[in-house]
Amino acid sequence: MKKTFDCVEFKLKIQEKMWIEAGENFEGLIHLLDKRREKNELLKQLIKRKEKQLENA
Protein backbone atom coordinates (compact mmCIF):
# COMPACT_ATOMS: atom_id res chain seq x y z
CA MET A 1 0.00 0.00 0.00
CA LYS A 2 1.48 3.33 -1.08
CA LYS A 3 1.25 6.15 1.37
CA THR A 4 -0.24 9.29 -0.17
CA PHE A 5 -0.59 11.48 2.93
CA ASP A 6 1.83 11.74 5.84
CA CYS A 7 -0.01 13.24 8.80
CA VAL A 8 3.17 13.62 10.89
CA GLU A 9 4.86 15.59 8.11
CA PHE A 10 1.70 17.70 7.73
CA LYS A 11 1.66 18.46 11.48
CA LEU A 12 5.33 19.40 11.49
CA LYS A 13 4.88 21.78 8.55
CA ILE A 14 1.98 23.52 10.32
CA GLN A 15 3.99 23.82 13.53
CA GLU A 16 6.96 25.26 11.66
CA LYS A 17 4.74 27.78 9.87
CA MET A 18 3.22 28.89 13.19
CA TRP A 19 6.67 29.13 14.80
CA ILE A 20 7.89 31.40 12.02
CA GLU A 21 4.70 33.48 12.13
CA ALA A 22 5.20 33.87 15.89
CA GLY A 23 8.64 35.39 15.39
CA GLU A 24 10.46 32.22 16.43
CA ASN A 25 10.08 32.83 20.16
CA PHE A 26 7.79 31.49 22.86
CA GLU A 27 6.29 34.85 23.81
CA GLY A 28 5.30 35.39 20.18
CA LEU A 29 3.82 31.90 20.00
CA ILE A 30 1.73 32.47 23.12
CA HIS A 31 0.53 35.80 21.70
CA LEU A 32 -0.32 34.16 18.36
CA LEU A 33 -2.28 31.35 20.02
CA ASP A 34 -4.16 33.83 22.24
CA LYS A 35 -5.05 35.92 19.18
CA ARG A 36 -6.29 32.85 17.30
CA ARG A 37 -8.29 31.69 20.31
CA GLU A 38 -10.08 35.06 20.51
CA LYS A 39 -11.14 34.76 16.85
CA ASN A 40 -12.28 31.12 17.07
CA GLU A 41 -16.08 31.13 16.70
CA LEU A 42 -16.47 27.45 17.55
CA LEU A 43 -14.59 27.92 20.81
CA LYS A 44 -16.76 30.93 21.68
CA GLN A 45 -19.92 28.87 21.15
CA LEU A 46 -18.61 25.99 23.26
CA ILE A 47 -17.68 28.35 26.10
CA LYS A 48 -21.14 29.97 26.03
CA ARG A 49 -22.80 26.54 26.08
CA LYS A 50 -20.65 25.45 29.03
CA GLU A 51 -21.44 28.67 30.92
CA LYS A 52 -25.17 28.10 30.39
CA GLN A 53 -24.83 24.54 31.67
CA LEU A 54 -23.09 25.80 34.80
CA GLU A 55 -25.78 28.46 35.37
CA ASN A 56 -28.53 25.87 35.16
CA ALA A 57 -26.79 23.35 37.41
Side-chain angles (χ1 to χ4, degrees), residues 38-53:
E38 290 171 2
K39 294 179 180 180
N40 189 320
E41 292 300 320
L42 176 60
L43 181 60
K44 288 178 188 178
Q45 290 176 8
L46 292 173
I47 290 171
K48 283 181 186 178
R49 184 169 65 179
K50 186 65 173 180
E51 288 172 350
K52 285 183 182 180
Q53 286 176 347

Side-chain angles (χ1 to χ4, degrees), residues 12-27:
L12 291 173
K13 284 181 181 181
I14 291 172
Q15 286 177 326
E16 182 179 7
K17 180 181 173 188
M18 287 180 65
W19 181 248
I20 292 169
E21 186 178 340
E24 299 183 9
N25 62 60
F26 289 110
E27 291 82 15

Side-chain angles (χ1 to χ4, degrees), residues 4-39:
T4 59
F5 180 76
D6 187 346
C7 57
V8 174
E9 181 183 345
F10 182 70
K11 176 184 118 5
L12 291 173
K13 284 181 181 181
I14 291 172
Q15 286 177 326
E16 182 179 7
K17 180 181 173 188
M18 287 180 65
W19 181 248
I20 292 169
E21 186 178 340
E24 299 183 9
N25 62 60
F26 289 110
E27 291 82 15
L29 185 59
I30 291 169
H31 178 70
L32 176 66
L33 293 173
D34 286 343
K35 191 167 57 172
R36 287 185 175 192
R37 186 181 66 228
E38 290 171 2
K39 294 179 180 180

